[in-house]
Amino acid sequence: MNSLHLLHAKLIAAIRDLGLLALRIFAGQEFLVAGYTKLSGGIHAPEWFSGLQFPFPLGLLGADLNWVMAGTGEIVFGLALLVGLYGRLAALGLLFITYVAIYTVHFDLGWSGWNQIDTEAGLGFKVPLMLGLMLFTIVTQGSGRYSITK
C-alpha cells in the first residue's frame, strides 16, 4: 500500500513540475518577445510611452531610461524564467515590470482582452493580469524539477 501512495505522490509531483515548466515557457517567451520588440526600436521611448505617468520612484527616471530598463528586464528575466535560472527571482522581477505596465498603460483601458492585442485601442489589463498570476504562481511554487536552479 505504501508503494502505491509513493507512486501517486511522484506522479502528482511530475505533473505539477510539467505545469510549472509550461508556465515558465509561455511567460518567458512572452516577455522575451516584448523586451526584444521594445529595444529593437532603439533606446528612445516612443511618444505614447513618454506621456505616461510612472509610479514613484520610476517617474523620476525619465521615459527613455524606463523604456530601456523595462525592455532589458523583460529580456534578462524572461530568459532566466524560460530556462529556470533563479526562477522565483526572475518571476518577481517580471511581476514588478507587469505591475508598472498595468499601472501606467493597461489599467485605464479597462477589462479588455485578447481581441485588442493588435489594435490602436491598446490592451486592457486582463492579459497582463493573467501573466501576473502566472508569475505569482512561479514566485510561490518555484521553477519545478525541470529547471537549472530550484
Side-chain angles (χ1 to χ4, degrees):
M1 191 65 147
N2 275 343
S3 62
L4 186 60
H5 287 288
L6 184 59
L7 180 63
H8 181 262
K10 286 183 178 185
L11 182 62
I12 295 298
I15 291 170
R16 184 201 72 204
D17 289 333
L18 282 173
L20 290 169
L21 175 63
L23 282 178
R24 285 192 1 250
I25 289 171
F26 180 80
Q29 66 85 28
E30 284 293 315
F31 284 102
L32 272 171
V33 169
Y36 175 78
T37 301
K38 278 183 184 71
L39 297 182
S40 67
I43 62 170
H44 297 290
E47 189 175 323
W48 67 267
F49 192 85
S50 298
L52 298 175
Q53 298 296 317
F54 292 93
F56 181 82
L58 299 176
L60 303 173
L61 302 178
D64 288 343
L65 185 54
N66 274 304
W67 182 257
V68 170
M69 286 182 4
T72 302
E74 288 170 338
I75 289 172
V76 170
F77 291 138
L79 184 59
L81 190 65
L82 190 65
V83 299
L85 182 64
Y86 301 107
R88 288 179 197 247
L89 182 61
L92 195 60
L94 289 169
L95 198 55
F96 177 74
I97 292 169
T98 301
Y99 158 73
V100 173
I102 290 173
Y103 179 90
T104 57
V105 178
H106 301 284
F107 195 76
D108 287 344
L109 298 173
W111 186 252
S112 302
W114 301 107
N115 62 335
Q116 293 203 13
I117 289 175
D118 292 323
T119 69
E120 287 187 28
L123 174 65
F125 65 88
K126 184 165 123 180
V127 173
L129 178 62
M130 287 188 285
L131 281 168
L133 291 172
M134 290 177 199
L135 294 169
F136 181 73
T137 300
I138 296 165
V139 167
T140 59
Q141 302 300 311
S143 293
R145 166 184 335 186
Y146 309 111
S147 61
I148 293 174
T149 59
K150 305 292 181 216

